[in-house]
Amino acid sequence: MRHDAGLFFGQFVRAPAVTGAVAPSSRALSEAVAAPVPERGEPVVVELGPGTGPFTAEIQRRLAGRGRHLAVEVNQRFAARLAAAHPYVELVVGDAVGLAGLLGARGVDAADVIVSGLPWAAFSAARQTALLDAVVAVLRPEGAFTTFSYVHSRALPPGMAFRRRLTAAFEEVVAGRTVWRNLPPAYVYHSRRPRTSF
C-alpha cells in the first residue's frame, strides 16, 4: 500500500492533469463508489481510471467471481501494477474516450455499471463532454454510473461545469455524503437513466 502511494504521487507530479490526485482513494471512498455493483447475477462492470486499484479491489469483492470486470487505464505504469495485483480483471490499456471501441473489441456491447476514478475537475470542458458521451453510449438504460469529486473542487469552475454536464447526461444524479476518510475528502455522484442525447 505504501508503495502504491509512492507510485501514485510520482505519477501525479509527472502529469497532474492525467492522474488528478496525490494519493490512492481510501477504502471508505471505494465502498461508496462501488455500491451500485450488484451482489447477484452476472453483471458487466466497467471501471474507468483504476489507477493502483482501490476501487478495483472493492468491485472484485462485490462481484466475488461473477460477471465481467473490465478496467480501462491509460497510464502504462498503473496498468502494469493493476495487472499484477488483480489478474482476474480484464485490463484494457487505452483512452476511455474510445470506450465503445475498446469494449466492442472484447465482445462487450453494453455495461450494467460504470465506476469512474477519473479526475473530472482536471479535464477541459471538451474532454469532460467527450468522456460523458462515451459513458452514455455504452451504459444500459437501466444501468448506473458512479464517480466522485473532491470537496475542495465543488465550487471551482471545472467542478461546477462537470456537475452541469452530469445532470444533462442523466435523468437522476444524487450526490452522496462527504467521505471524510479520504485524502482529500470526497463525495460520490450516483447517476442513473442516461439520456440518449444531451
Side-chain angles (χ1 to χ4, degrees), residues 41-65:
E42 300 290 331
V44 173
V45 179
V46 175
E47 182 182 7
L48 308 180
T52 56
F55 294 173
T56 309
E58 181 60 19
I59 293 167
Q60 285 287 288
R61 187 191 71 77
R62 292 183 67 87
L63 286 174

Side-chain angles (χ1 to χ4, degrees), residues 157-176:
M160 292 190 294
F162 175 64
R163 173 60 192 256
R164 288 192 298 271
R165 288 186 180 87
L166 196 58
T167 302
F170 291 88
E171 292 180 23
E172 178 185 352
V173 178
V174 177

Side-chain angles (χ1 to χ4, degrees), residues 24-120:
S25 298
S26 68
R27 175 71 183 269
L29 182 59
S30 300
E31 289 175 352
V33 168
V37 176
E39 295 182 346
R40 293 182 297 278
E42 300 290 331
V44 173
V45 179
V46 175
E47 182 182 7
L48 308 180
T52 56
F55 294 173
T56 309
E58 181 60 19
I59 293 167
Q60 285 287 288
R61 187 191 71 77
R62 292 183 67 87
L63 286 174
R66 297 170 299 107
R68 292 181 73 177
H69 178 184
L70 299 96
V72 181
E73 176 57 63
V74 72
N75 182 299
Q76 294 279 356
R77 292 195 67 188
F78 285 160
R81 175 68 55 80
L82 199 76
H86 299 283
Y88 299 108
V89 174
E90 297 178 55
L91 181 63
V92 181
V93 180
D95 189 334
V97 167
L99 190 57
L102 294 173
L103 298 183
R106 289 154 180 85
V108 175
D109 60 353
D112 298 296
V113 178
I114 298 178
V115 173
S116 171
L118 297 175
W120 296 95

